[in-house]
Amino acid sequence: MALASIFGTNLFHYEPSGVIEFYDRYPAVRESFAQASAWTSLDVETLVRQNGDHDDEVRRRVVSVGLAAAQLGIQDVLAGKGLRPHMTGGMSLGGMVASCVAGACERRELMDVLVRGEHQPLHATTGEEAGQEEPGRAEPGREEAIASAYLGPDDDPAGLYADRDGIYLSCDFGWDADRKVRIVMLSGYRDELEKLSAETGGMVNVTEGADVAVHSPLRARAREATREHVSAVSFTDPELTLCSSLEQKTLTCADEVRAMFVDNVVAPISLVHLTRQLHRHGAGLGLVVGPSPILNALRYPFPVVFVDSPDAVPRAVAAVFEHGVRLRR
């Protein structure tokens, strides 16, 4: 039985209290945030506490860099307790953090990608650009959004968006722990999502304050910007088993990791793909590292411990012995 580290997404604003507790208690977490701050010029206190008066673009950078710093620091704490994973993977930003943990890229380069990344809608701004829009690219001036949808376990999510223009499946979280509700996220134009919400009687809930249609074809221009950002990253072949959430696949070489960073912007992500692949590789226990909104309500094919506060560290250690998981040296 093997140990897996799983890293969550920055799609939802996380409550930082557990991260603050880790920061106060563990030097490894303080070091992770100090490094992130030095590399990005973002203030440590802002990164840790997720506070400050910032515009939306800077706030999104703070969330992304802060979550990555927290995940990496907490992983360092777990490694210090002997809990070194045999395999890893993550959702969205978590997939990029997992690449660092797997040894496929350096932390400093990850932070550079995150702080330079496109964190706002990218619409064509000139008539010339607008006339050359590619299919699926965002329309100028049209507001984007995301929405959560709650389905029956046997419902097909495609039924929600298949015949609608400008709505896309962006994330499949799979089923809740009781396997009664299937949770997916949709991305697209706010007006279309609000219309769908009204027609489905609350089955679809548009997220307030989210104005980027993440993991959808509307992010095509951001994908090209990301391709430019990662072109200089010195990716290497992963040293650990690295599983993707874009498809049920193991990333085995540097070029595949680079492609994941680029495609992550426009491709839908899936916790189902990720955990099934980890399970296929023999995961007997998963540690969900850092704050993980929604992930703690879902069904997994193996036992999991959510390491989102220092109190969870001894639970993670105990779970390793409880489930007979072998440890890496």
Side-chain angles (χ1 to χ4, degrees), residues 5-12 14 63-64 66-72 74-75 88-98 101 110 114 171 173 215 245 264 269 271 274 287-296 298 300 305-308:
S5 284
I6 301 170
F7 299 93
T9 170
N10 62 337
L11 295 178
F12 305 95
Y14 61 89
V63 171
S64 295
L67 179 58
Q71 290 174 333
L72 289 167
I74 295 169
Q75 180 61 58
T88 186
M91 302 282 286
S92 191
L93 176 143
M96 295 187 280
V97 172
V101 173
L110 171 63
L114 294 178
C171 182
F173 288 108
H215 300 293
S245 65
N264 192 35
I269 56 176
L271 185 67
L274 173 61
L287 302 182
V288 181
V289 181
S292 54
I294 208 170
L295 295 191
N296 58 1
L298 301 176
Y300 294 82
V305 175
F306 299 93
V307 189
D308 51 6

Side-chain angles (χ1 to χ4, degrees), residues 9-23 33 45-51 62-63 66-67 70-71 74 289-296 307-310:
T9 170
N10 62 337
L11 295 178
F12 305 95
H13 297 301
Y14 61 89
E15 211 294 316
S17 59
V19 172
I20 294 170
E21 291 178 27
F22 265 114
Y23 183 86
F33 275 99
E45 282 293 300
T46 300
L47 291 174
V48 173
R49 300 183 184 280
Q50 296 293 300
N51 59 10
V62 167
V63 171
L67 179 58
Q71 290 174 333
I74 295 169
V289 181
S292 54
I294 208 170
L295 295 191
N296 58 1
V307 189
D308 51 6
S309 73

Side-chain angles (χ1 to χ4, degrees), residues 249-327:
K249 178 180 179 178
T250 302
L251 307 178
T252 59
C253 66
D255 286 345
E256 290 178 334
V257 179
R258 186 186 305 277
M260 182 270 287
F261 269 60
V262 175
D263 293 339
N264 192 35
V265 178
V266 298
I269 56 176
S270 170
L271 185 67
V272 178
H273 287 333
L274 173 61
T275 56
R276 283 179 177 171
Q277 191 70 354
L278 292 169
H279 188 246
R280 189 180 75 80
H281 283 293
L285 174 67
L287 302 182
V288 181
V289 181
S292 54
I294 208 170
L295 295 191
N296 58 1
L298 301 176
R299 183 182 183 88
Y300 294 82
F302 42 74
V304 295
V305 175
F306 299 93
V307 189
D308 51 6
S309 73
D311 291 342
V313 174
R315 292 200 295 271
V317 173
V320 166
F321 294 99
E322 176 186 352
H323 297 288
V325 174
R326 57 186 172 87
L327 295 176

Side-chain angles (χ1 to χ4, degrees), residues 184-232:
V184 301
M185 192 176 76
L186 306 174
S187 286
Y189 295 119
R190 180 171 293 276
D191 56 351
E192 290 294 331
L193 288 168
E194 289 177 344
K195 184 187 304 182
L196 177 61
S197 177
E199 292 175 2
T200 56
M203 179 186 294
V204 176
N205 298 301
V206 181
T207 303
E208 293 302 322
D211 60 356
V212 179
V214 294
H215 300 293
S216 81
L218 300 187
R219 301 296 288 154
R221 294 186 66 200
R223 179 177 185 265
E224 296 313 306
T226 300
R227 187 192 305 279
E228 181 179 348
H229 294 164
V230 305
S231 63

Side-chain angles (χ1 to χ4, degrees), residues 82-157:
L83 306 187
R84 299 178 181 86
H86 304 88
M87 63 191 72
T88 186
M91 302 282 286
S92 191
L93 176 143
M96 295 187 280
V97 172
S99 299
C100 275
V101 173
C105 70
E106 297 294 329
R107 295 187 182 195
R108 182 168 190 164
E109 291 182 304
L110 171 63
M111 294 301 174
D112 185 60
V113 169
L114 294 178
V115 80
R116 295 173 60 200
E118 301 298 343
H119 299 276
Q120 59 183 336
L122 289 178
H123 299 148
T125 56
T126 68
E128 181 180 0
E129 284 181 294
Q132 297 176 354
E133 285 294 305
E134 295 180 5
R137 285 179 181 254
E139 296 178 15
R142 197 170 179 189
E143 188 176 356
E144 299 172 20
I146 62 175
S148 298
Y150 303 90
L151 312 174
D154 298 319
D155 291 340
D156 182 0

